[in-house]
Amino acid sequence: MIRIQSVSKSFDGYPALDDLEMTIQTGSIYGLIGVNGAGKTTIIKHMSGMLRPDNGIITYDGDGIWENEVLKQKIGLIPDELYFPNGYNMKDMCRIYRGFYESWNEDRFEEMARLFKLDMKKKLRAFSKGMKKQAMFCLVMSTMPMYLILDEPIDGLDPIVRKLVWKFIVDDVADHQMSVLISSHNLKEMEGICDYIGIISHGRMLLERELDSMKSDLHKIQVSFGTKSPQDPYEGLNLLHKESRGTVDLLIVRERAEKIEETLSEYDPILFDILPLSLEEIFIYELGGEDDEISKLIF
Amino acid sequence: MFQLDAKSHKSIYEQVTDNVKELIMTNVLPEDSKLPSVRELSKDLTVNPNTVQKAFKELEREGYIYTISGKGTFVGSKDGIKLNPAMVAEIQEDIMASFRELLYLGFSLNDARELAIRAIDKASHGKEIGL
Amino acid sequence: MMKSANLYSNPSKAWVRENIRRFWILPLMEFLALFLIGILPILINYSHYQYILDYVNGSLMNNNYGIIAVFVICSIAMSVAVFSYIHGTASSTVAHSFPITRKRLFASSFWSGLVMLLIPVLIITIMYMMVSGAHLSADYDKSAFNPVEAAKVITLVHCLKWMVESSIIIAFVYAMSNLAAIIAGNRVIHVLLAMLINGLPFALLQLFRIYEQEFLFGYPHDGRFAISMLSPVSHAIRRSCYMGPSDIVPELVYVAVVILTTLISVWLYNKVQLERERSACVFPKISDIICVIVTFMGMTLLALSLSYQITTLDNGLIPKWIFILISIPSALVFYIICRMIADGTTRIFNMSSLKKFGIYLILAAVFFSFTVFDATGYQKRIPELSQISCVDIDSNYETLGTIRLTSEASIKNVISYHKAILSDHGGSSWNVNGNVDLVTLSYRLKNGNTLKRSYTVPSYKKDIATSRAYKAIFYSREYREKNIISYSPKMISRISLYNPEASGKQVYIYPEDYETFIAAFNKDIINETIIDRQTSHDIASVEIMLKGKYSTGEEAITPITITKSDKNVLRFLKADGYWAQYKKLNKDQ
């Protein structure tokens, strides 16, 4: 389990991380989402042991990350900005990783390079952006990490490659309980693969839940009682938002679906739809809800 | 084994449980046959293994499957399937809601009833149940 | 999926290996450059070695600017290469996520760079030995070159000394550049900072010396040697002989400094906030200190040169107030430039920068009060008679260089002389644009301290108080008695008579004549007047070389001159036939 406890970091007075709390369960795939500048890349750089927080602590199953070379053996990082030394090709990079990581798996590397169709002799700086990410993926996964951290991994990858990437990740999670952290903007894809979600805003964790419970907790309701609308039918419900278009009310309710149904069916509505929100909608709602201007735009 | 529908409004967890249930109920997966492991299934579908794990747990709880540790997961006998009264009530409500919608569309009571019975017949023949 | 066990992984070794693979071209170029500058000339002149004998000798003594330049450039370049990973965001992220601590990362980078720098030196040393068979051609000029001496230039000892000294120079410049690597935030500043740190002690001390010479009348002129000791580079260039026993301590100190600087660099590396990379300096406080130093250097140079353009006083010094007045805008100019570079923006006109400039002005004011305004009364200080145990005087008139005066009468004379200098200085009779003498007075005090002053005084002129006071010293008994040559013949290795304008043609005095020669010479000294010494032309030069050498390895040579008024010596030389021989050898001159 990766624990980030009360981590704060300022850059020249600007608070990039503000008392951040984050927990990644072992063997889970955690999706970190937030707008640009919310702190995703910053916390990832802390988790890889590059930056040191002003306050707080980051531990992997109890071990602190700072200057911990034994722990770093088990961590695989694919950063947003990739780096390959000038003139290096896949064989050269393979040599570096083989020299650094005790758990380097040569067979897996060869298999992955073959599946991703990567030219071992071509200079990596000449690869397209997508191919560079694939190359990095092959290298990092071949170190057989226990903890995998991906910063915007799917950017620029075509659907076939993306599927291949997920297959490898899912396989390792199932095989040896690898814990995965993914930061991405592609919410649809994250929805399909993550079981935990953390929404980060202004360096703080806004919402961190198991995805299923997040979705079962928040619903969009379309309800209409026709011309005979009852007095205050929504009493007892945790109503977050209400909008009326004619006789149809659009509601955002933080409540279990059964309870909503139970409450409202007493009033015999002529129109009643409960819609689970998609991750994208939850994201937009939670973050837009913070900001009055944005929430006016959305709703 | 089966495909997931990305556009479906059902969660992946629901799709997995429903699909497995269908395969069991239609005897594609006969009693005591071995199911793919969580790992194989998650890799196959490219789905979070924890989700598959949860689905298997629920299926086991409802009696559709059973696990022998060390050996794997197997299809249970249909008699073992526990009836979940809440689920039954929910499905009843769904049927009622769908029927009401027919009325809203302007069907007369008799026409609506006929349409409903025809639909039930179709479903009973087990053809193309679009889930 | 089968896991293959990787028994050969070793992060430090992996990093070293990659550095060598990426940067091997640097040691190759270093080797080629050293080969071209050092070995190739020998190969070309292999059978007429005399043409480059001095060149080779100088190169092995590390007086060859080309070779030194190669060392400095390659060391800085290697430092930039092996530590460039820190400065790029992408490379830094990847490097610091590898399973290796910062300490080991630094160590691997450090050692891979150092080894790559030193291997070419080792190879070139071997090559020097291989070409030691270079010989003189048949028609070499026998008066200029001695085959025995020629064979002693490239020896094993000399080559090893060269190797050791070069290695220390390289390690020193490299270590300083590594410190710059940690402090700097990008490659450009790294290079600039490396040059600054390497040249800093020397530059700063030069600047302080400028202040002391300009504004503190009497500041002693030595210390150049001390400054050159601050860096093995200047130490090597300045010393025009091979390393001797007196160099062991300095070289060990340099090694200690290398070790200390490297440890400091590691410590700082652990403290670096990597998110600050790309700005000029990653430690804001160090950034401020560097700003102050560079502003000070720039301000001094600019204000000094501008002041010189405007006016100088008769004694060659600059008026204080003009200097101060010009210093302020000069400081401002340089401070603005420094701040812009340090902050990476032109928007530096804010309260915080102003406050820091204010701090700088305060520091400068304190410094000025001690130097420009002489707050401690340095210039006027003359010790009391009762405090002095003896005084050394060094002017143009001492035969053996310095004379130590211990009698009370002599010391009183010197004090009067000193007072005369201070009171005459700046007056109308004080003319240092004509003939001048340089005089240094060193008072050894009873409490163990030494008070030293150097003055440029006008040449002896009867009517100046200074000259009259000097005359009292010159004709005093102690001075006369101590001004003679006090060497016994046993100490002397050779005495040669030569014409400084003709090269190489020397007349050697026979050892049995040493005593007579010296006695004659001393007699002349005792009878000499100041005017004689001042006005007589030199008609010959004499070199007395003592047995043994100075601790620096240099030979102990005392030069003296013979003038027309040295009647006793001339009589001796003519009587024993030396003079005739001397004339014969110099017939064509």
Side-chain angles (χ1 to χ4, degrees):
Chain A
M1 179 166 79
I2 310 174
R3 295 209 61 192
I4 289 143
Q5 295 166 269
S6 303
V7 165
S8 299
K9 179 75 174 182
S10 291
F11 296 143
D12 277 336
Y14 170 75
L17 299 176
D18 182 10
D19 206 30
L20 181 68
E21 298 275 340
M22 215 162 106
T23 305
I24 296 141
Q25 303 290 344
T26 309
S28 74
I29 302 181
Y30 187 109
L32 183 64
I33 57 184
V35 298
N36 290 328
K40 303 192 296 294
T41 301
T42 307
I43 188 60
I44 284 178
K45 284 189 174 160
H46 281 82
M47 288 169 74
S48 69
M50 177 192 173
L51 301 182
R52 198 169 17 177
D54 298 331
N55 287 308
I57 186 168
I58 299 172
T59 54
Y60 288 68
D61 289 321
D63 288 330
I65 179 66
W66 183 251
E67 292 286 88
N68 190 339
E69 8 175 48
V70 173
L71 176 56
K72 281 181 176 177
Q73 285 277 342
K74 305 188 230 164
I75 301 177
L77 169 71
I78 301 183
D80 187 17
E81 286 172 39
L82 300 174
Y83 173 76
F84 304 108
N86 207 355
Y88 271 43
N89 58 28
M90 285 290 271
K91 288 184 80 104
D92 299 317
M93 293 305 296
C94 170
R95 192 182 58 234
I96 296 182
Y97 278 81
R98 196 189 309 132
F100 269 102
Y101 290 92
E102 291 159 1
S103 47
W104 174 256
N105 188 336
E106 187 80 26
D107 296 328
R108 171 180 253 204
F109 179 69
E110 277 168 20
E111 187 198 336
M112 287 181 84
R114 192 174 38 87
L115 283 171
F116 281 98
K117 299 201 184 55
L118 298 171
D119 186 347
M120 297 288 273
K121 298 224 172 76
K122 185 172 166 190
K123 299 211 188 314
L124 279 158
R125 288 204 180 174
F127 277 20
S128 69
K129 185 171 174 202
M131 308 265 330
K132 280 183 189 161
K133 289 222 175 204
Q134 292 171 44
M136 196 68 184
F137 184 70
C138 293
L139 289 163
V140 171
M141 288 298 276
S142 302
T143 67
M144 309 302 289
M146 286 301 294
Y147 311 96
L148 184 65
I149 304 174
L150 308 154
D151 196 351
E152 309 276 355
I154 347 263
D155 265 13
L157 297 180
D158 66 59
I160 302 171
V161 170
R162 262 190 263 147
K163 197 120 201 181
L164 204 52
V165 166
W166 291 134
K167 276 213 200 297
F168 275 106
I169 290 178
V170 147
D171 197 32
D172 271 14
V173 170
D175 180 50
H176 54 264
Q177 295 252 288
M178 178 172 77
S179 312
V180 184
L181 172 80
I182 308 177
S183 104
S184 175
H185 288 125
N186 192 330
L187 298 174
K188 280 217 164 42
E189 198 122 8
M190 299 261 267
E191 199 166 350
I193 210 84
C194 297
D195 46 345
Y196 279 84
I197 294 287
I199 304 183
I200 184 174
S201 171
H202 294 117
R204 295 187 130 246
M205 189 57 70
L206 206 58
L207 187 62
E208 179 185 78
R209 301 271 278 289
E210 208 170 339
L211 183 57
D212 284 339
S213 69
M214 204 185 259
K215 286 175 139 207
S216 65
D217 273 0
L218 206 63
H219 297 273
K220 184 156 62 177
I221 316 283
Q222 267 193 137
V223 63
S224 176
F225 300 99
T227 43
K228 44 173 181 77
S229 52
Q231 275 297 75
D232 205 9
Y234 309 128
E235 194 181 335
L237 291 177
N238 187 357
L239 196 69
L240 298 178
H241 180 86
K242 180 180 118 167
E243 210 178 287
S244 300
R245 288 177 199 146
T247 60
V248 180
D249 282 343
L250 184 70
L251 314 167
I252 307 277
V253 184
R254 203 192 284 284
E255 209 71 69
R256 312 224 70 219
E258 296 91 47
K259 181 158 180 213
I260 300 174
E261 206 166 351
E262 220 178 274
T263 314
L264 291 180
S265 55
E266 283 179 30
Y267 300 96
D268 217 12
I270 56 171
L271 171 66
F272 181 63
D273 282 319
I274 308 182
L275 303 165
L277 293 166
S278 73
L279 185 56
E280 201 169 321
E281 291 173 292
I282 294 175
F283 176 75
I284 293 175
Y285 176 72
E286 290 288 352
L287 277 142
E290 276 208 313
D291 188 329
D292 284 333
E293 291 297 319
I294 297 181
S295 72
K296 280 188 208 140
L297 284 172
I298 297 172
F299 303 112
Chain B
M1 200 185 256
F2 52 83
Q3 292 267 31
L4 294 177
D5 183 0
K7 294 200 178 60
S8 164
H9 130 142
K10 282 198 181 165
S11 74
I12 293 176
Y13 160 76
E14 277 183 327
Q15 287 188 49
V16 171
T17 45
D18 288 349
N19 271 302
V20 171
K21 281 183 194 172
E22 183 188 341
L23 293 174
I24 291 177
M25 295 312 289
T26 54
N27 272 314
V28 174
L29 285 172
E31 191 172 322
D32 292 325
S33 65
K34 188 167 189 289
L35 286 163
S37 70
V38 169
R39 183 178 171 180
E40 284 163 356
L41 193 57
S42 65
K43 200 170 170 199
D44 224 5
L45 302 172
T46 316
V47 145
N48 195 318
N50 294 317
T51 311
V52 176
Q53 180 81 312
K54 264 203 295 188
F56 274 29
K57 265 210 191 100
E58 179 62 20
L59 287 167
E60 187 162 3
R61 200 182 63 80
E62 288 180 21
Y64 285 87
I65 60 178
Y66 62 92
T67 317
I68 302 177
S69 85
K71 292 221 161 145
T73 317
F74 301 87
V75 179
S77 91
K78 293 199 189 50
D79 309 325
I81 296 172
K82 299 185 185 68
L83 226 53
N84 182 348
M87 281 211 74
V88 175
E90 192 183 320
I91 293 173
Q92 258 185 305
E93 285 292 337
D94 282 342
I95 297 175
M96 281 164 55
S98 299
F99 190 77
R100 244 181 271 138
E101 278 195 52
L102 283 178
L103 298 177
Y104 298 152
L105 285 173
F107 279 79
S108 72
L109 208 50
N110 279 325
D111 286 338
R113 206 182 268 141
E114 257 187 60
L115 203 149
I117 292 173
R118 253 182 285 145
I120 292 168
D121 283 338
K122 245 196 184 151
S124 313
H125 289 146
K127 277 203 219 140
E128 274 145 33
I129 306 171
L131 281 165
Chain C
M1 218 166 288
M2 186 188 79
K3 243 186 232 190
S4 52
N6 185 8
L7 300 164
Y8 304 103
S9 74
N10 181 330
S12 300
K13 282 211 190 102
W15 192 255
V16 167
R17 217 182 10 232
E18 294 309 316
N19 272 342
I20 294 178
R21 254 181 228 267
R22 288 170 68 191
F23 305 124
W24 58 270
I25 192 132
L26 264 169
L28 179 68
M29 290 177 55
E30 181 188 340
F31 169 77
L32 284 174
L34 290 175
F35 181 83
L36 286 173
I37 300 177
I39 307 288
L40 192 63
I42 301 179
L43 288 176
I44 292 177
N45 290 292
Y46 200 76
S47 41
H48 31 86
Y49 187 38
Q50 63 269 24
Y51 294 140
I52 52 149
L53 195 67
D54 284 335
Y55 177 79
V56 174
N57 212 17
S59 301
L60 285 175
M61 286 185 209
N62 269 324
N63 284 355
N64 184 327
Y65 282 108
I67 292 184
I68 300 287
V70 170
F71 291 156
V72 171
I73 293 172
C74 289
S75 300
I76 296 183
M78 183 62 79
S79 173
V80 174
V82 297
F83 286 108
S84 64
Y85 75 89
I86 299 185
H87 301 313
T89 333
S91 59
S92 184
T93 310
V94 170
H96 291 101
S97 71
F98 277 143
I100 184 170
T101 54
R102 285 194 189 185
K103 193 167 81 179
R104 295 219 303 181
L105 202 50
F106 183 95
S108 307
S109 306
F110 176 83
W111 287 114
S112 51
L114 188 62
V115 166
M116 281 196 273
L117 283 171
L118 294 181
I119 287 187
V121 173
L122 180 65
I123 299 180
I124 294 286
T125 306
I126 295 174
M127 292 190 109
Y128 263 121
M129 284 310 298
M130 279 163 48
V131 299
S132 61
H135 50 271
L136 303 171
S137 64
D139 59 342
Y140 72 92
D141 181 354
K142 292 190 179 53
S143 62
F145 300 104
N146 180 344
V148 175
E149 296 292 320
K152 287 200 220 151
V153 171
I154 308 183
T155 63
L156 183 63
V157 170
H158 287 170
C159 290
L160 288 177
K161 282 187 179 175
W162 179 79
M163 188 175 83
V164 168
E165 188 170 46
S166 304
S167 304
I168 294 180
I169 290 175
I170 286 175
F172 192 89
V173 177
Y174 181 63
M176 294 297 161
S177 306
N178 291 341
L179 183 62
I182 303 299
I183 296 176
N186 59 53
R187 291 178 191 92
V188 172
I189 299 290
H190 179 183
V191 174
L192 293 177
L193 207 53
M195 300 195 310
L196 183 69
I197 294 180
N198 274 305
L200 190 64
F202 181 70
L204 273 184
L205 262 132
Q206 276 289 80
L207 286 173
F208 284 134
R209 276 190 60 230
I210 289 176
Y211 276 103
E212 260 115 11
Q213 280 179 14
E214 279 303 319
F215 300 106
L216 294 178
F217 184 59
Y219 191 78
H221 288 206
D222 68 1
R224 215 167 287 172
F225 187 67
I227 296 173
S228 73
M229 296 284 274
L230 285 169
S231 159
V233 178
S234 49
H235 180 71
I237 292 187
R238 194 148 200 283
R239 192 193 62 238
S240 50
C241 59
Y242 287 96
M243 291 205 288
S246 68
D247 291 300
I248 294 179
V249 168
E251 296 292 325
L252 286 176
V253 169
Y254 296 137
V255 172
V257 169
V258 167
I259 295 174
L260 189 66
T261 309
T262 305
L263 290 175
I264 292 176
S265 303
V266 177
W267 180 75
L268 278 176
Y269 184 32
N270 274 314
K271 297 242 167 298
V272 167
Q273 307 268 54
L274 285 170
E275 66 269 14
R276 289 190 180 284
E277 295 287 333
R278 290 219 285 221
S279 61
C281 177
V282 296
F283 296 102
K285 293 205 171 58
I286 296 184
S287 186
D288 291 337
I289 294 174
I290 295 176
C291 265
V292 166
I293 292 174
V294 177
T295 304
F296 174 73
M297 284 166 58
M299 169 193 85
T300 302
L301 291 172
L302 186 60
L304 208 66
S305 47
L306 285 179
S307 301
Y308 265 125
Q309 302 294 338
I310 295 178
T311 176
T312 46
L313 298 174
D314 286 332
N315 58 11
L317 300 179
I318 297 172
K320 294 192 217 285
W321 291 107
I322 300 217
F323 181 76
I324 302 288
L325 225 56
I326 300 181
S327 291
I328 298 177
S330 308
L332 196 61
V333 164
F334 275 95
Y335 183 76
I336 289 176
I337 297 175
C338 280
R339 260 277 76 92
M340 284 190 187
I341 295 179
D343 293 348
T345 168
T346 49
R347 295 214 183 93
I348 52 141
F349 300 101
N350 52 40
M351 253 299 119
S352 131
S353 298
L354 198 63
K355 264 193 234 161
K356 289 178 186 163
F357 186 62
I359 295 175
Y360 171 80
L361 285 178
I362 293 173
L363 290 172
V366 169
F367 178 77
F368 279 173
S369 68
F370 281 101
T371 52
V372 179
F373 294 108
D374 193 10
T376 57
Y378 182 88
Q379 294 177 96
K380 298 259 188 268
R381 195 175 309 144
I382 302 179
E384 297 289 320
L385 184 57
S386 51
Q387 295 173 305
I388 304 171
S389 82
C390 64
V391 59
D392 293 337
I393 182 166
D394 183 347
S395 67
N396 284 352
Y397 302 104
E398 289 77 38
T399 317
L400 296 183
T402 309
I403 291 178
R404 173 161 292 188
L405 298 167
T406 51
S407 70
E408 193 177 306
S410 299
I411 295 176
K412 274 200 188 137
N413 283 337
V414 172
I415 292 179
S416 309
Y417 176 53
H418 196 167
K419 286 188 176 153
I421 292 176
L422 290 180
S423 69
D424 273 348
H425 151 70
S428 51
S429 58
W430 190 265
N431 179 7
V432 288
N433 291 327
N435 289 334
V436 294
D437 292 330
L438 182 63
V439 63
T440 301
L441 305 170
S442 308
Y443 299 96
R444 313 260 166 219
L445 303 178
K446 288 183 181 147
N447 61 16
N449 292 340
T450 303
L451 190 108
K452 197 167 181 184
R453 295 287 183 271
S454 297
Y455 298 103
T456 305
V457 305
S459 256
Y460 183 83
K461 253 208 186 83
K462 271 204 280 243
D463 44 352
I464 315 174
T466 306
S467 299
R468 286 199 294 275
Y470 185 75
K471 196 167 151 185
I473 302 174
F474 188 81
Y475 288 118
S476 70
R477 203 172 85 186
E478 189 185 0
Y479 186 89
R480 293 249 119 165
E481 281 171 8
K482 290 189 172 172
N483 204 9
I484 57 171
I485 298 176
S486 52
Y487 301 141
S488 74
K490 289 200 296 289
M491 291 162 64
I492 300 174
S493 146
R494 71 153 199 261
I495 301 181
S496 51
L497 182 69
Y498 68 98
N499 183 340
E501 274 139 56
S503 59
K505 296 180 163 71
Q506 309 194 358
V507 177
Y508 296 95
I509 310 283
Y510 291 117
E512 51 268 24
D513 288 332
Y514 287 166
E515 199 163 348
T516 333
F517 177 81
I518 290 174
F521 192 83
N522 285 343
K523 217 161 166 198
D524 283 327
I525 288 180
I526 293 180
N527 292 330
E528 210 172 29
T529 65
I530 293 185
I531 307 290
D532 284 339
R533 281 222 74 156
Q534 221 181 355
T535 55
S536 276
H537 288 306
D538 296 342
I539 52 176
S541 295
V542 173
E543 246 183 30
I544 303 179
M545 175 147 55
L546 299 176
K547 293 179 183 154
K549 300 188 182 178
Y550 291 131
S551 59
T552 56
E554 284 177 78
E555 316 230 306
I557 293 179
T558 305
I560 54 182
T561 58
I562 299 179
T563 67
K564 260 214 178 84
S565 48
D566 291 327
K567 298 196 170 38
N568 287 298
V569 161
L570 282 172
R571 197 180 310 142
F572 163 78
L573 288 173
K574 283 175 183 157
D576 270 34
Y578 290 116
W579 195 247
Q581 203 183 351
Y582 174 73
K583 277 259 179 303
K584 197 166 92 167
L585 282 177
N586 287 284
K587 215 172 11 169
D588 347 291
Q589 307 303 326

